[in-house]
Amino acid sequence: MSKGLAGQVIADTSRSRVDGQKGELLYHGYNIMDLGANSSFEEVAYLMWNSEYPNAEQLAAFKAEMAGMRTIPAELMSIMKSLPTGGHPVAVLRTMVSMLSLVDADAENIEVEAAKQKAMKIAAVMPTIVAAWQQIRNGNEPVAPRADLDHAANFLYMLNGEEATPEAVAAVDTYLVLLVDHGFNASTFSARVTTGTLSDMYSAITTAIGTLKGPAHGGATQKAMEQFIAAKDAGVEAWFNESMETGRRIMGIGHRVYKVEDPRAKIFRPLAENLAKQSEEGHWFDISLQVEQLARANQFFIERNLFPNVDYYSAPVLYMIGIPMDQFTSLFAMSRVIGWSSHVLEQLANNRLIRPLAQYVGPEGLTVPK
Ligand SMILES: CC(C)(COP(=O)(O)OP(=O)(O)OC[C@H]1O[C@@H](n2cnc3c(N)ncnc32)[C@H](O)[C@@H]1OP(=O)(O)O)[C@@H](O)C(=O)NCCC(=O)NCCS
């Protein structure tokens, strides 16, 4: 038995292939380096749900349909406005996605076409929830979505109440493309386990958001940015040495599968570097680069094949375009919902309850005291 199921293949999938030795990631046969440079979020969403790349006509119809699903239902918006503001924004997103099922009279339907529609609805409305919460917790009225803007552009518009620069839109779009899917990562696995019980799409996505939230998974981007801030305050080298002395992990470094550089880090590093050139916050790229260089020159990281993962440079990217740090994981969820739901559809098409065994190591033969 391997702790944490490391190295175990537990199902077939045609959704994405992760090669941890070569440092390669494919979605449905398309290399992430190609998709990251040339595709929009909507094109990749279409690919993941339909197992084919859209042509111009298919894409236009798909974009229009999805853009028409962005509004938060009125009954849920009024509940959202009454939620306590103290918790983590991902807890709000998890709660709101769960509540979406309450206003869908057909919520339990897991026929493929119905499930696909629900996936589109959830993915379309998630950015509205994230942006609305940002406004609500700051005491403002949520900004209504605009159907004339693409997914990434509309999200930034709702988040900030004004249209974003083309650079910021392109950066968020690339971010959303790169995070869509990644084999049997923990949150995808949890979505498939939920679906394995024949539960509904809303339950599967709610489960997955809860799993993504942890700092060993999607929560790492926020932690990575917090560490860059701590490193700046303490001095990068002093901070790094203290991390080594105390055994503090460098967030955004290391990966269960990749033993070479994560291919997505190869895209995010230059993206962060370019954004830094145009940003007053550009020093965050230099700090993250310095930490990486210190780590990669250190025997501990070299021996264990620890490289920056997807969360490392995406942290300064999101920070430099003004995404609040505690909303980083929400953006991850806005992207990964495509992968989760695509895996749910795959699970439904050939389902069997996922129910492994545990090896019991506790005591035996005890009796209740009389
Ligand atoms: C991603 C992660 C959870 C993978 O964990 P894993 O496959 O279970 O690997 P382990 O936790 O067993 O780590 C293997 C070794 O590398 C070390 N290590 C792993 N990631 C490290 C990091 N970020 N900083 C310092 N050391 C690290 C561990 O201490 C361990 O050392 P040991 O062999 O002396 O015990 C882990 O690398 C991590 O915690 N990274 C930081 C969080 C992060 O970026 N998560 C997002 C992943 S996409």
Side-chain angles (χ1 to χ4, degrees):
M1 189 180 57
S2 68
K3 196 173 176 194
L5 293 177
Q8 306 288 310
V9 174
I10 56 110
D12 292 340
T13 183
S14 68
R15 272 30 185 182
S16 59
R17 197 189 80 193
V18 185
D19 187 326
Q21 303 302 323
K22 277 207 273 181
E24 196 174 79
L25 169 61
L26 310 180
Y27 297 166
H28 263 297
Y30 292 88
N31 196 302
I32 194 69
M33 305 303 283
D34 188 8
L35 295 169
N38 300 311
S39 302
S40 69
F41 173 74
E42 286 94 330
E43 283 170 310
V44 172
Y46 186 101
L47 168 68
M48 297 303 286
W49 286 334
N50 298 292
S51 305
E52 64 172 8
Y53 205 86
N55 62 31
E57 203 181 314
Q58 288 165 327
L59 181 64
F62 177 80
K63 280 167 75 166
E65 188 181 4
M66 202 166 161
M69 297 177 168
R70 288 176 178 160
T71 302
I72 300 172
E75 7 358 0
L76 298 192
M77 179 60 97
S78 59
I79 296 174
M80 195 176 180
K81 286 180 176 170
S82 68
L83 292 176
T85 52
H88 197 282
V90 176
V92 173
L93 181 63
R94 190 190 59 217
T95 304
M96 293 302 298
V97 168
S98 180
M99 277 201 292
L100 287 172
S101 72
L102 306 178
V103 291
D104 179 352
D106 194 35
E108 309 300 320
N109 191 340
I110 51 173
E111 297 292 324
V112 170
E113 276 316 306
K116 214 190 264 186
Q117 276 292 307
K118 291 175 204 318
M120 191 188 279
K121 231 199 271 183
I122 298 169
V125 82
M126 274 172 66
T128 318
I129 295 171
V130 174
W133 187 244
Q134 190 58 27
Q135 299 292 359
I136 291 168
R137 71 171 171 166
N138 287 331
N140 303 326
E141 251 320 288
V143 177
R146 268 176 51 188
D148 61 313
L149 295 174
D150 286 351
H151 197 78
N154 174 60
F155 167 65
L156 287 173
Y157 164 71
M158 295 185 298
L159 187 75
N160 301 319
E162 60 184 21
E163 282 191 42
T165 63
E167 293 75 23
V169 171
V172 168
D173 193 54
T174 302
Y175 175 89
L176 294 176
V177 166
L178 295 184
L179 275 290
V180 156
D181 201 31
H182 208 237
F184 268 37
N185 61 89
S187 55
T188 298
F189 184 46
S190 69
R192 288 188 79 131
V193 170
T194 299
T195 301
T197 70
L198 297 176
S199 190
D200 62 289
M201 179 64 83
Y202 299 98
S203 298
I205 303 303
T206 304
T207 302
I209 295 173
T211 308
L212 183 75
K213 188 169 176 288
H217 190 9
T221 324
Q222 176 182 347
K223 297 285 176 205
M225 196 61 225
E226 287 168 0
Q227 88 189 342
F228 295 138
I229 293 170
K232 177 170 180 272
D233 291 346
V236 175
E237 207 155 341
W239 179 88
F240 182 80
N241 292 338
E242 189 191 293
S243 300
M244 295 312 293
E245 279 156 24
T246 58
R248 179 173 61 206
R249 289 192 177 207
I250 311 293
M251 300 311 287
I253 287 193
H255 200 274
R256 174 62 66 77
V257 182
Y258 291 121
K259 299 306 162 201
V260 295
E261 185 165 74
D262 183 330
R264 300 162 300 176
K266 286 196 172 85
I267 302 178
F268 276 123
R269 190 186 289 101
L271 183 57
E273 189 174 10
N274 282 339
L275 280 174
K277 286 179 192 145
Q278 308 150 29
S279 166
E280 284 169 18
E281 302 281 327
H283 52 277
W284 295 114
F285 172 72
D286 304 324
I287 290 168
S288 49
L289 186 66
Q290 262 176 284
V291 173
E292 181 195 2
Q293 285 168 345
L294 287 168
R296 289 305 306 152
N298 189 293
Q299 215 43 37
F300 180 92
F301 289 83
I302 295 169
E303 279 165 10
R304 289 166 183 76
N305 297 318
L306 299 169
F307 295 86
N309 59 49
V310 68
D311 299 311
Y312 191 85
Y313 283 105
S314 58
V317 163
L318 296 180
Y319 196 76
M320 285 188 282
I321 53 180
I323 307 294
M325 265 192 292
D326 64 357
Q327 292 276 26
F328 286 4
T329 315
S330 311
L331 268 82
F332 195 155
M334 280 163 42
S335 169
R336 190 57 61 87
V337 65
I338 305 300
W340 295 331
S341 50
S342 173
H343 278 267
V344 166
L345 297 173
E346 188 175 47
Q347 183 70 33
L348 284 171
N350 185 22
N351 187 49
R352 192 175 186 208
L353 178 74
I354 300 172
R355 204 304 186 189
L357 295 176
Q359 186 169 312
Y360 179 66
V361 294
E364 293 184 35
L366 304 182
T367 56
V368 175
K370 304 273 179 322

